[in-house]
Amino acid sequence: MSQLNTSDFRKGSKVILDGEPYEMLEVNFVKPGKGQALYKCRMKNLIKGTILDRTYKSGDSLEAADVRTGEGQFLYKDATGFVFMEQETFEQFTIPLEVAGDQGRFLQDNAVCVILFWGELPIGLTAPQQAVMKVTYSETVARGNTSSNLTKPATVENGETVQVPAFVDMGDMIRINAQTGEYIERVR
């Protein structure tokens, strides 16, 4: 594997530390009055999501991580996770539920997502920014009961609950921010 010298450390660099891939979130160069220059790094574990701080001396090096991105088409969800098909090779692979996290909440069939791979192991998922879903259940709200913007919970077709304005009814199509789970607009 190739080595990454401290002078090559940058925000976004991916390295191997303790046998796991990390992404550098911050790299600060510190030159004390005397002695060697230091590189203070804040890194995020790409598998577990934990963050750690490490300091390296000028001249140190770390192994570069073989991390790549690819596109995957979402096929279905089963008990083990989300099943995707790679766009170029048409091979199917599963991303475990804990790796997908909140990114899998509003995935729709055939949605194309950006997948982060470490070697051949999928370690991350970035879902499309927005999803259009049908409201399957929502309570009706009596008009005139409030003087402010009123929201209510609504269940969408995949079973997730979203806070929507009072005028949204069952059967309406709504656009949702898939990253945050917030209502954006009603779709006609």
Side-chain angles (χ1 to χ4, degrees), residues 50-115:
T50 57
I51 295 178
L52 65 96
D53 293 315
R54 291 273 172 100
T55 301
Y56 297 97
K57 294 178 188 170
S58 179
D60 288 350
S61 63
L62 292 173
E63 184 179 343
D66 178 25
V67 176
R68 66 177 175 85
T69 58
E71 287 189 341
Q73 182 179 9
F74 175 63
L75 300 177
Y76 60 91
K77 179 181 174 184
D78 63 13
T80 60
F82 299 95
V83 178
F84 286 86
M85 178 178 64
E86 195 164 351
Q87 294 291 82
E88 287 134 25
T89 63
F90 304 110
E91 292 180 21
Q92 291 186 12
F93 58 91
T94 302
I95 295 183
L97 299 171
E98 55 274 359
V99 171
D102 285 344
Q103 292 289 319
R105 285 182 58 200
F106 296 103
L107 275 180
Q108 293 178 297
D109 291 344
N110 301 320
V112 177
C113 302
V114 176
I115 312 293

Side-chain angles (χ1 to χ4, degrees), residues 32-56:
K34 59 181 182 176
Q36 276 188 313
L38 302 174
Y39 290 84
K40 294 186 178 193
C41 303
R42 173 164 279 197
M43 297 181 274
K44 178 181 179 184
N45 185 313
L46 293 173
I47 296 174
K48 299 175 188 166
T50 57
I51 295 178
L52 65 96
D53 293 315
R54 291 273 172 100
T55 301
Y56 297 97

